[in-house]
Amino acid sequence: EAAVTQSPRSKVAVTGGKVTLSCHQTNNHDYMYWYRQDTGHGLRLIHYSYVADSTEKGDIPDGYKASRPSQENFSLILELASLSQTAVYFCASSGGGAYAEQFFGPGTRLTVL
Amino acid sequence: GDSVTQTEGLVTLTKGLPVMLNCTYQTTYSPFLFWYVQHLNEAPKLLLKSSTDNKRTEHQGFYATLHKSSSSFHLQKSSVQLSDSALYFCALSSSSGSWQLIFGSGTQLTVMP
């Protein structure tokens, strides 16, 4: 069974603070993704990576950075957290290709106060 | 650009009745469509997928047929169960090299006793 884990599972942050969300996969997948889930918007792509030490911008990258130090690990960084970044964040991995299944982690619920 | 539309935000049904959740898409490339299901406080999981025109695909009692002529990939089940209550997302594999999923806004299905 493919496995994607995320930490923390939930976090409360203060406005202007730095937040780091971590993702780890044991699927040996090249592609990793960070999505944001808001009610009424489905999931939207923030950043993705297809190889270690390289990241790419997704559809809504503003206010977020990403880091892929190894094939297994992919982090999402909020340098200056804002109220509008309160959401649930999902990490996913896939082998790449148009028909490849994406395997999602359990999600991180972030609340910015 | 690529897009996915789910017209129903909320569907409430009584157990045993049939259901159809609508999904239409737009893309200029060959379409690869997915349905993901997300139970409360869980990660989205793949339910079924298709890239073959006019071929029915089935999984766990759910089925869908990709119709390229109408750009549709509706999800159906002949008899819903209480355990089917969940959030259902239709998704399109992006035509860009990211292989990201373009998600619809989701349909919350609630099955009543």
Side-chain angles (χ1 to χ4, degrees), chain B:
Chain B
D2 300 333
S3 66
V4 176
T5 301
Q6 294 181 249
T7 53
E8 311 101 351
L10 181 64
V11 172
T12 303
L13 287 172
T14 301
K15 182 180 68 173
L17 292 179
V19 66
M20 184 171 82
L21 306 183
N22 291 314
C23 173
T24 56
Y25 63 89
Q26 285 189 320
T27 182
T28 56
Y29 295 89
S30 184
F32 294 81
L33 273 295
F34 303 77
W35 276 100
Y36 279 79
V37 58
Q38 183 181 21
H39 288 93
L40 188 63
N41 295 324
E42 295 185 6
K45 293 181 181 178
L46 179 65
L47 182 57
L48 49 78
K49 63 180 182 179
S50 180
S51 63
T52 305
D53 199 12
N54 297 319
K55 181 180 179 181
R56 175 165 153 162
T57 183
E58 300 187 35
H59 186 61
Q60 296 181 340
F62 287 90
Y63 59 95
T65 303
L66 177 61
H67 292 295
K68 294 183 180 180
S69 61
S70 58
S71 299
S72 67
F73 190 55
H74 305 320
L75 182 68
Q76 297 179 262
K77 191 175 187 184
S78 59
S79 175
V80 294
Q81 304 303 309
L82 295 176
S83 58
D84 295 328
S85 293
L87 186 57
Y88 291 82
F89 290 105
C90 183
L92 169 72
S93 185
S94 172
S95 55
S96 73
S98 68
W99 308 125
Q100 73 175 90
L101 291 174
I102 309 297
F103 285 88
S105 56
T107 298
Q108 178 67 49
L109 174 64
T110 301
V111 181
M112 308 294 288

Side-chain angles (χ1 to χ4, degrees), chain A residues 18-93:
Chain A
K18 182 177 181 178
V19 177
T20 299
L21 307 183
S22 299
C23 178
H24 179 81
Q25 56 106 352
T26 58
N27 305 324
N28 198 32
H29 285 161
D30 288 330
Y31 284 77
M32 295 188 74
Y33 305 87
W34 276 106
Y35 291 94
R36 168 179 172 154
Q37 183 175 34
D38 300 278
T39 303
H41 285 280
L43 287 85
R44 293 179 290 174
L45 183 67
I46 306 170
H47 286 286
Y48 70 98
S49 170
Y50 55 86
V51 67
D53 296 321
S54 178
T55 64
E56 305 291 337
K57 294 180 179 179
D59 297 328
I60 53 166
D62 293 345
Y64 303 93
K65 292 183 179 180
S67 174
R68 182 95 180 268
S70 63
Q71 186 193 42
E72 299 80 15
N73 296 293
F74 191 36
S75 297
L76 185 68
I77 303 148
L78 291 66
E79 295 278 3
L80 295 170
S82 67
L83 296 174
S84 63
Q85 293 176 313
T86 293
V88 179
Y89 293 85
F90 286 98
C91 176
S93 76

